[in-house]
C-alpha cells in the first residue's frame, strides 16, 4: 500500500482519467482538464481554450469554465506575460521584439504584451546585449573581423535585438579588444 488515496478517475493516463469523468458533464471535464494543465505550468486563456477545443468541449462550456478560472485568479494573462518577460529576458537574453513574438503565439492580448515588454527599458536591454556579446566574444577570437561581426550581430538579431543596437554593441566590444572597427557603422 502506497498510503495514497485512490480517487475515482485517478490514472497515470490523463486521457483515460478524463474519459472516466462523467461524459454527460462537459463542464466537469473542462475543469479537470484545465486544473491538470495548470498544475504543471502557468498557461494563457488561449492555450487552455485550445486544449479544451481539442478535447471537444463545447465552446460555451469552455468559455464559462475559463471565465470562472479567471475570476478566481487561476488564469491571469497579465501575470503570465510579466513572468514570461522576466524569465525569458534574464534566462535566455531575449529582447523585447522576440518576447512580444513569443507572447503573441501564446495568445496574450496585444495591450498586455505591450505592458509587459514595456517594463524592459532600453538600457536594461542593451546591458543584456553586452553580456551576451561578452560571453560569445572569446569563441570568435581568431576569426576575421567581418566574420566575428556577422556571428555576434546575428546572435543578437536571432534574440530579437534591433540591428542598430546589435551593431553598436558588437563594434564597441570589438574595439575594447583592440580590433579595428573602421567601416563597421554600415548595416550589413
Amino acid at each position: 500500500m502506497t498510503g495514497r488515496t485512490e480517487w475515482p478517475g485517478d490514472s497515470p493516463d490523463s486521457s483515460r482519467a478524463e474519459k472516466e469523468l462523467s461524459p454527460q458533464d462537459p463542464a466537469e471535464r473542462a475543469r479537470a482538464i484545465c486544473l491538470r494543465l495548470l498544475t504543471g505550468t502557468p498557461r494563457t486563456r488561449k492555450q487552455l481554450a485550445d486544449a479544451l477545443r481539442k478535447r471537444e468541449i463545447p465552446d460555451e462550456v469552455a468559455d464559462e469554465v475559463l471565465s470562472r478560472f479567471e475570476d478566481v485568479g487561476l488564469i491571469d494573462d497579465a501575470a503570465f506575460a510579466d513572468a514570461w518577460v522576466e524569465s525569458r529576458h534574464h534566462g535566455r537574453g531575449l529582447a523585447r521584439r522576440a518576447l512580444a513574438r513569443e507572447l503573441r503565439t501564446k495568445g496574450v492580448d496585444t495591450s498586455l504584451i505591450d505592458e509587459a515588454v514595456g517594463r524592459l527599458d532600453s538600457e536594461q536591454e542593451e546591458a543584456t546585449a553586452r553580456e551576451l556579446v561578452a560571453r560569445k566574444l572569446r569563441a570568435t577570437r581568431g576569426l576575421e573581423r567581418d566574420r566575428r561581426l556577422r556571428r555576434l550581430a546575428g546572435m543578437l538579431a536571432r534574440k530579437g535585438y534591433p540591428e542598430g543596437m546589435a551593431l553598436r554593441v558588437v563594434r564597441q566590444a570589438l574595439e575594447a579588444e583592440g580590433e579595428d572597427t573602421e567601416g563597421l557603422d554600415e548595416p550589413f
Side-chain angles (χ1 to χ4, degrees), residues 70-109:
E70 278 182 329
D71 291 345
V72 298
L74 291 173
I75 301 173
D76 185 346
D77 283 0
F80 177 90
D82 289 343
W84 188 265
V85 166
E86 181 73 20
S87 168
R88 302 285 284 174
H89 177 72
H90 293 293
R92 303 266 323 231
L94 298 182
R96 289 181 280 200
R97 186 172 41 187
L99 293 165
R101 183 178 53 243
E102 287 183 347
L103 288 170
R104 269 192 304 278
T105 65
K106 298 201 172 293
V108 176
D109 184 71

Side-chain angles (χ1 to χ4, degrees), residues 34-183:
C34 288
L35 286 172
R36 184 180 50 77
L37 290 173
L38 288 168
T39 299
T41 184
R43 312 244 183 194
T44 65
R45 181 182 175 114
K46 182 187 180 307
Q47 288 175 309
L48 292 170
D50 290 346
L52 295 176
R53 193 170 301 111
K54 182 177 161 189
R55 288 172 179 86
E56 299 177 357
I57 301 294
D59 287 343
E60 57 279 353
V61 172
D63 284 343
E64 183 180 316
V65 169
L66 293 172
S67 293
R68 179 66 181 137
F69 274 48
E70 278 182 329
D71 291 345
V72 298
L74 291 173
I75 301 173
D76 185 346
D77 283 0
F80 177 90
D82 289 343
W84 188 265
V85 166
E86 181 73 20
S87 168
R88 302 285 284 174
H89 177 72
H90 293 293
R92 303 266 323 231
L94 298 182
R96 289 181 280 200
R97 186 172 41 187
L99 293 165
R101 183 178 53 243
E102 287 183 347
L103 288 170
R104 269 192 304 278
T105 65
K106 298 201 172 293
V108 176
D109 184 71
T110 303
S111 63
L112 296 177
I113 292 172
D114 293 344
E115 193 175 310
V117 297
R119 289 191 177 92
L120 285 179
D121 63 14
S122 297
E123 291 175 11
Q124 185 180 12
E125 195 174 41
E126 190 164 329
T128 302
R130 288 182 196 292
E131 290 171 19
L132 290 167
V133 168
R135 277 190 244 153
K136 297 285 185 191
L137 198 59
R138 189 177 25 238
T140 65
R141 286 194 186 121
L143 297 176
E144 64 179 74
R145 182 197 70 177
D146 289 347
R147 189 174 215 175
R148 291 180 86 188
L149 171 72
R150 282 193 307 274
R151 284 203 182 163
L152 295 168
M155 178 260 307
L156 291 177
R158 286 187 298 278
K159 291 185 177 282
Y161 289 89
E163 181 181 4
M165 178 192 292
L167 289 173
R168 183 176 63 252
V169 167
V170 171
R171 184 177 40 78
Q172 290 169 350
L174 292 174
E175 282 175 357
E177 276 201 340
E179 190 81 59
D180 176 25
T181 60
E182 184 138 347

